[in-house]
Amino acid sequence: MIRSLRLRLAIGALIAIGLVLLVVWFSLSRLFTDYVVGRYRAEMATIVDTIAAQVVVSDGEIALPREPADPRFSLPAGGRYWQLAPATGAPIRSRSLWDTVIDTQARSTGNYEGFVELEGPDGAPMLVHGQALSLGDGPDAERFSVQAGFGRKELDDALDAFHGRMRLMLLATAAVLAGAAFLQGALGLAPLRKLRERAALVRAGSERNFGSAGPSEVGPVVNEINLLLAERETAVERARARASDLAHGLKTPLTVLAQLAEGLPDAERRVALQQVDLVRQRADRQLQAARMGVERMVTTSVAGMAGKLVSVLHPVTAERHIVWDMAIDPSLSLDMDPADLAECLGNLLDNAAKWARSRIRVSATRIEDRLQIVVGDDGPGIAEGDRERVMRRGGRVVDGEAGAVPGTGLGLAISADIADAYGATLTLGRSPLGGLEAVLAFETSGGRKRSRDPV
């Protein structure tokens, strides 16, 4: 089955054009043939009438005092022929017939109505038109017949010349019509290309729906797609709200249980922490599955989101005279839900705001197919041996450059989980400013890479 609409339209148009041109070919050929044959029949009838008008009876015999003046009648095989055949006696013939006698008993044969096809004086076929006549009435009337003919090749050449010109004309017409058909197909399918471009914008998050643009023929389909997108967005918001409620509902109880477990004896504490960690992991997997299942197809500006987050933290850091250095190209964006980017990047900025002494630097760059967001500060940083631990839920630095870190120890772990859900990575290192440097790296070529489905 042909899947391409353009190819279907082209094949249908070519078949239609071919059938129409075949009908035109046979119609024009028949009409022209009838016209030309009619003209030759009229010419031969005129010759017959001219000869019959000159017939006289002399001494009881049919005679022709004056022969037609056309010079072709005087040349052997000259192309025009006539014969006067009385009922008795030898026929009178044009010199062009030479020694050929036209058979007056022959009947119309061949492809041309009204003509008898016979062999001419040069051996080539000739077409003859005849008429039986008489002088006087009654039984004593002198009866005779007159035949006039011409070479069949003359008629065939005229028809061949017409067919040749008509063939060229129809081929040119076919080429023009085929080009018009292809152009019509291209113009007719142009709205579908625009719909595809619109779909790409919707998929990228630049547009919420297909709008109302387009021809009326595809309007119902566009309306149904817009309704489907609206229902999907509503379902997305509901699912995300439930996932967010579940996340907030689990974070505090699990954190409290983990803190209470610290006061238990060693054996019970280990078992309790293992169970809390198991519940937390299961919840994280389900939340990640929910996020991947309902994430919206939107493009979020990195500079815009970072600016909003910094404006929220700036009043807190201003009291400590901390300077924010922002180096983010406004054109950089991510295929990421704004809420996810806000939570992921917000935890890193909040962590930097807690520990920076005087400066925080936020930058974003695109390197080939990777977009990196870097948050660095001039605080005490985290020792290399503690960086892996603080990336886990509840992981906190107790000893090291930073001393004891207040809080639940969930911020960096949540950021790492969100980054992993979008196929990105979060790494910690030493900032050129002297403190901690957090690097979020996203794949941007070929679409976002997703993490494996949770088990």
Side-chain angles (χ1 to χ4, degrees), residues 105-110 112-117 128:
Q105 303 301 318
R107 295 292 180 264
S108 297
T109 59
Y112 306 114
E113 183 179 355
F115 286 103
V116 178
E117 185 172 329
V128 177

Side-chain angles (χ1 to χ4, degrees), residues 94 139 220 236 262-263 271 273-274 280 298 314 318 336 352 371 375 398 408 439:
S94 65
V236 164
E262 294 291 341
V271 174
L273 291 177
Q274 288 176 356
R280 182 181 288 125
V298 295
H314 187 268
M336 188 173 184
L371 190 150
V375 179
V398 177
T408 62
V439 180

Side-chain angles (χ1 to χ4, degrees), residues 70-89:
D70 192 327
R72 289 176 293 182
F73 292 130
S74 302
L75 298 175
R80 289 293 183 274
Y81 314 100
W82 61 265
Q83 176 180 281
L84 172 62
T88 58

